[in-house]
Amino acid sequence: MKRFKIGVVGAGYVGLTTAICFSELGHHVICYDKDTEKIKKLKEGKIPIYEPGLEDILKKTYQKNIFFTDKPEEIYANSEVIFICVGTPEMPDGSADLSYIEACSIELTSYLKEYKLIVEKSTVPVRTAEWIERTIKLYNPHADFDVASNPEFLKEGSGIKDFFQPDRIVLGVSSERAKKILLEIYNEKEFPYPKIITDVKTAELIKHASNSFLALKISYINMVANFCEKVGVDVDVVAEGMGLDRRIGREFLKAGIGWGGSCFPKDVKAFIKMAEENHEDFSILKEAYKINEKRIDHFIEKVKKTLWVIKGKRLAIWGLSFKPNTDDIRESPAIKIIPRLLNAGAYLKLYDPEAMENTKKIIPPNVNVNYADSIEESVKESHAILILTDWDEFKNANLPTLKKYMITPIIIDGRNIYDPKKVRELGFLYVPTGKP
Ligand code: NAD
Ligand code: UGA
């Protein structure tokens, strides 16, 4: 099997997973990031993010067939295939900020003397590849290259599994040469999964359409969850009943405090913006976004209804990351709920298995906010536990012991991690989401 000299631009959640997984397959990989601190850490063999399993692979491949650099000449001159994995965050108007994509497109132009394949892995608006191509040609009319799209569908926390066993691989290509290279990299032996080979703009669109659909699906079940609370029905049972229909599917029907993370919020907004620019009204996505924003108000209302007065209450906050198995707090519902509780006068003890360091950078400890070393520590002298992320550690907590440490045994569960009957039998006042 042919092994390639692969360059990966951006050492974030996607770039690092891509680079390290390609190195596991024996490709020669150079991963480049302009963030010198990140590269310094990586050169010491340390992973600057929490993504289970990455460090173990890196131990095997580091300095054998994967290298890290903060120097553009080292990656661009030495790669045959360049995967662009830089961020595409949100602009104030909701559109995607493509300045990082543009910056690396310009940076690589002077290294295109011999043919190179440039592959977008970042999530980008439809037709971004056309702009990359145009930019490169503007700076270097003699450049020999193709731009392809290979959108990434990995989920944080299960990035390695999603890389090696994806549901599908989408390859958007504009030449036979690009198609051949990508099919060699994603060969049937190493990737025996459905492959969609299409033109570049279709591949770009598949990514936005997928993320927005998943966000819409979660908002739908959250809308149903609100109704379930009104009529005394269990949303999890409703979701099970719906999900057994293969046309609907059980996944992404977990009601809770809403979708966060670095992708769904910005990608839904960017898709709405793209539609607007093309005079299409994606009002269904606007509603999905609104429903999601209202999850925070809904949860705060639940806390008020349960505790009566929030001022002066000591609350154990379980979970800061936007979902379990990651230290990522970008657009995390927890990070939106915490200031609301503080404004209402609560004292908070925050606990998360992995995301406390990141949270301390934006919510430093003070007289009203403490960070606990353990779940036991978090609940001591507390009036209630608020569950904001569904980490396994919380699911497996020893509730009878924890109850003894609490002033009042109250659990307000934004993620429905417990069986209400069992928790109530233990003597807790248990307030789930979308359930009687
Ligand atoms: P990230 O912010 O974790 O990492 C991006 C990295 O790119 C940063 O380290 C930054 O320093 C670097 N960078 C920016 N401009 C650069 C440049 N010109 N040259 C070199 N390095 C540069 O972002 P991420 O979460 O990995 O996401 C990257 C892209 O992948 C986004 O478009 C995102 O929407 C998409 N995506 C993310 C996920 C996910 O789970 N996080 C999944 C699928 C797709
Ligand atoms: C999501 C997609 O699932 C990936 O396929 C995609 O590649 C990625 O975005 C991206 O483009 O960046 P990710 O953001 O890592 O992945 O996390 P998800 O597991 O999708 O969860 C997103 C949010 O939805 C979390 O806040 C999670 O708690 C919430 N969620 C998820 C629910 O509230 N209910 C569910 O049933 C599922």
Side-chain angles (χ1 to χ4, degrees):
M1 258 175 307
K2 186 164 179 209
R3 298 296 84 173
F4 286 86
K5 288 185 195 163
I6 290 179
V8 174
V9 191
Y13 288 86
V14 170
L16 275 180
T17 307
T18 304
I20 292 173
C21 290
F22 276 140
S23 78
E24 169 85 336
L25 293 173
H27 294 284
H28 184 280
V29 182
I30 305 180
C31 180
Y32 160 59
D33 202 294
K34 60 179 185 169
D35 182 336
T36 46
E37 279 306 305
K38 244 183 204 179
I39 293 300
K40 197 168 153 240
K41 238 180 164 177
L42 285 160
K43 281 189 166 176
E44 290 162 7
K46 291 186 199 132
I47 305 275
I49 54 166
Y50 175 78
E51 183 61 41
L54 276 190
E55 207 156 288
D56 294 337
I57 303 181
L58 188 62
K59 272 186 197 139
K60 289 188 281 175
T61 58
Y62 183 44
Q63 287 184 334
K64 207 171 110 213
N65 60 326
I66 184 166
F67 301 86
F68 297 97
T69 182
D70 52 8
K71 296 185 183 58
E73 64 275 14
E74 287 186 0
I75 174 180
Y76 296 128
N78 295 313
S79 313
E80 299 162 295
V81 185
I82 298 162
F83 284 87
I84 298 181
C85 305
V86 300
T88 47
E90 185 184 323
M91 291 292 283
D93 68 355
S95 62
D97 179 354
L98 297 173
S99 60
Y100 304 98
I101 300 273
E102 185 190 46
C104 58
S105 311
I106 295 171
E107 203 165 43
L108 60 79
T109 48
S110 40
Y111 302 95
L112 297 175
K113 288 176 197 96
E114 285 158 26
Y115 177 85
K116 291 190 197 300
L117 177 61
I118 298 155
V119 188
E120 299 168 340
K121 234 188 198 312
S122 301
T123 302
V124 291
V126 63
R127 296 214 143 120
T128 298
E130 290 173 15
W131 280 102
I132 296 178
E133 210 172 306
R134 209 184 100 146
T135 305
I136 294 173
K137 282 186 181 153
L138 209 59
Y139 281 79
N140 180 358
H142 306 294
D144 189 8
F145 68 101
D146 276 310
V147 183
S149 164
N150 168 219
E152 181 52 65
F153 297 99
L154 70 78
K155 300 178 289 301
E156 289 179 24
S158 59
I160 295 177
K161 183 175 172 290
D162 294 341
F163 180 92
F164 285 116
Q165 295 155 38
D167 286 347
R168 80 304 208 180
I169 293 166
V170 176
L171 303 174
V173 288
S174 57
S175 75
E176 277 305 313
R177 194 172 184 180
K179 179 175 157 185
K180 184 169 176 282
I181 293 172
L182 285 173
L183 284 176
E184 278 175 325
I185 292 176
Y186 290 109
N187 59 76
E188 269 307 296
K189 192 152 182 269
E190 287 168 325
F191 294 95
Y193 303 102
K195 295 184 186 82
I196 311 282
I197 298 162
T198 173
D199 59 31
V200 180
K201 64 183 181 187
T202 306
E204 292 170 331
L205 188 49
I206 288 172
K207 174 65 191 179
H208 265 112
S210 303
N211 268 13
S212 290
F213 186 79
L214 291 170
L216 183 66
K217 195 173 176 190
I218 303 168
S219 281
Y220 181 83
I221 200 66
N222 281 335
M223 175 188 81
V224 174
N226 280 358
F227 189 63
C228 284
E229 285 180 9
K230 297 262 164 66
V231 295
V233 169
D234 184 335
V235 70
D236 281 345
V237 182
V238 174
E240 206 180 322
M242 288 168 61
L244 283 170
D245 183 330
R246 273 175 297 161
R247 291 170 303 175
I248 298 174
R250 180 66 182 88
E251 284 188 68
F252 280 63
L253 280 182
K254 189 137 188 17
I257 49 176
W259 34 270
S262 65
C263 293
F264 283 174
K266 78 158 170 66
D267 289 346
V268 170
K269 274 198 193 165
F271 206 26
I272 292 170
K273 194 74 193 161
M274 269 176 252
E276 267 171 23
E277 283 163 6
N278 288 282
H279 312 290
E280 280 302 320
D281 181 10
F282 278 6
S283 50
I284 191 171
L285 287 185
K286 291 180 191 161
E287 270 316 306
Y289 199 90
K290 247 193 248 166
I291 290 172
N292 198 53
E293 283 192 312
K294 283 194 197 141
R295 298 312 287 161
I296 307 297
D297 299 333
H298 185 76
F299 186 77
I300 297 290
E301 272 313 302
K302 211 182 262 282
V303 177
K304 274 189 198 155
K305 269 191 199 155
T306 312
L307 300 180
W308 183 30
V309 175
I310 295 182
K311 189 175 168 192
K313 291 275 158 55
R314 299 182 175 278
L315 307 176
I317 303 295
W318 284 8
L320 303 168
S321 54
F322 79 100
K323 65 171 204 174
N325 300 321
T326 178
D327 62 348
D328 197 342
I329 55 166
R330 290 179 285 183
E331 293 286 322
S332 172
I335 303 302
K336 294 178 182 162
I337 287 169
I338 289 167
R340 300 275 296 265
L341 296 169
L342 289 172
N343 280 342
Y347 293 96
L348 307 182
K349 252 197 201 167
L350 314 184
Y351 177 73
D352 187 286
E354 293 296 336
M356 293 203 285
E357 286 315 308
N358 281 341
T359 310
K360 278 179 193 166
K361 290 176 201 156
I362 53 168
I363 307 176
N366 62 44
V367 66
N368 292 334
V369 182
N370 277 298
Y371 286 82
D373 293 335
S374 61
I375 41 177
E376 287 79 12
E377 182 60 34
S378 73
V379 301
K380 281 185 183 154
E381 300 296 312
S382 67
H383 293 96
I385 297 169
L386 273 49
I387 300 174
L388 306 185
T389 314
D390 38 348
W391 283 93
D392 278 348
E393 187 179 346
F394 306 151
K395 294 179 189 166
N396 301 327
N398 185 339
L399 293 181
T401 305
L402 296 183
K403 185 168 161 256
K404 290 182 198 150
Y405 298 142
M406 300 176 72
I407 298 174
T408 47
I410 299 174
I411 298 177
I412 306 172
D413 187 352
R415 299 290 190 175
N416 284 341
I417 66 171
Y418 297 128
D419 175 347
K421 191 165 169 278
K422 285 191 188 149
V423 189
R424 286 174 186 144
E425 275 168 10
L426 293 172
F428 281 93
L429 170 63
Y430 179 64
V431 186
T433 300
K435 293 174 193 248

